[in-house]
Amino acid sequence: QVQLVESGGGLVQAGGSLRLSCAASGRTAGNYAMGWFRQAPGKEREFVAAIGWSASSIYYTNSVKGRFTISRDNAKNTVYLQMNSLKPEDTAVYYCALGSLRSDPAEVDYWGQGTQVTVSS
């Protein structure tokens, strides 16, 4: 089993920044992709960003390109999401994901518990 623990969510004004972190523990042996999804009230969970083990593969959804940056520290089994120029439409619960570079939530092996990000206008 793998456990994912997120931190770093909160309330921020539009144009501000937040940095999310997600630490993986448990049976994390081997190379694995990590990423972030988000889910706003009344909407489906959507892909935000993903990063491969060596960080040579990085993907973003179009709406966050140029504003969000995903990175990872394999020594700490941790993935980060730096979010700049935040907009009210970025408001959602952000979930850490392990196991897939793809944008389909069904292909994720493990999920974190989620962290709330609220952007006020």
Side-chain angles (χ1 to χ4, degrees):
Q1 274 288 29
V2 173
Q3 294 78 42
L4 302 174
V5 178
E6 300 114 330
S7 60
L11 173 63
V12 64
Q13 289 188 332
S17 297
L18 283 173
R19 188 192 194 206
L20 305 183
S21 299
C22 171
S25 62
R27 299 181 63 180
T28 58
N31 300 344
Y32 50 88
M34 295 189 74
W36 295 91
F37 287 70
R38 66 186 180 186
Q39 188 166 17
K43 295 188 176 182
E44 294 185 350
R45 191 168 297 189
E46 66 170 357
F47 171 80
V48 176
I51 184 169
W53 174 258
S54 66
S56 60
S57 298
I58 293 179
Y59 302 96
Y60 298 99
T61 191
N62 287 338
S63 62
V64 308
K65 286 180 180 177
R67 300 188 299 122
F68 291 11
T69 302
I70 189 170
S71 61
R72 66 189 294 166
D73 183 338
N74 291 336
K76 297 180 179 179
N77 289 332
T78 299
V79 65
Y80 306 96
L81 187 67
Q82 178 67 44
M83 304 185 295
N84 299 330
S85 302
L86 281 161
K87 304 175 181 180
E89 51 263 44
D90 294 317
T91 295
V93 177
Y94 282 70
Y95 294 91
C96 180
L98 185 147
S100 176
L101 284 171
R102 298 183 179 273
S103 61
D104 185 353
E107 300 200 24
V108 172
D109 294 326
Y110 297 97
W111 294 100
Q113 81 284 359
T115 185
Q116 177 70 47
V117 171
T118 302
V119 184
S120 63
S121 58

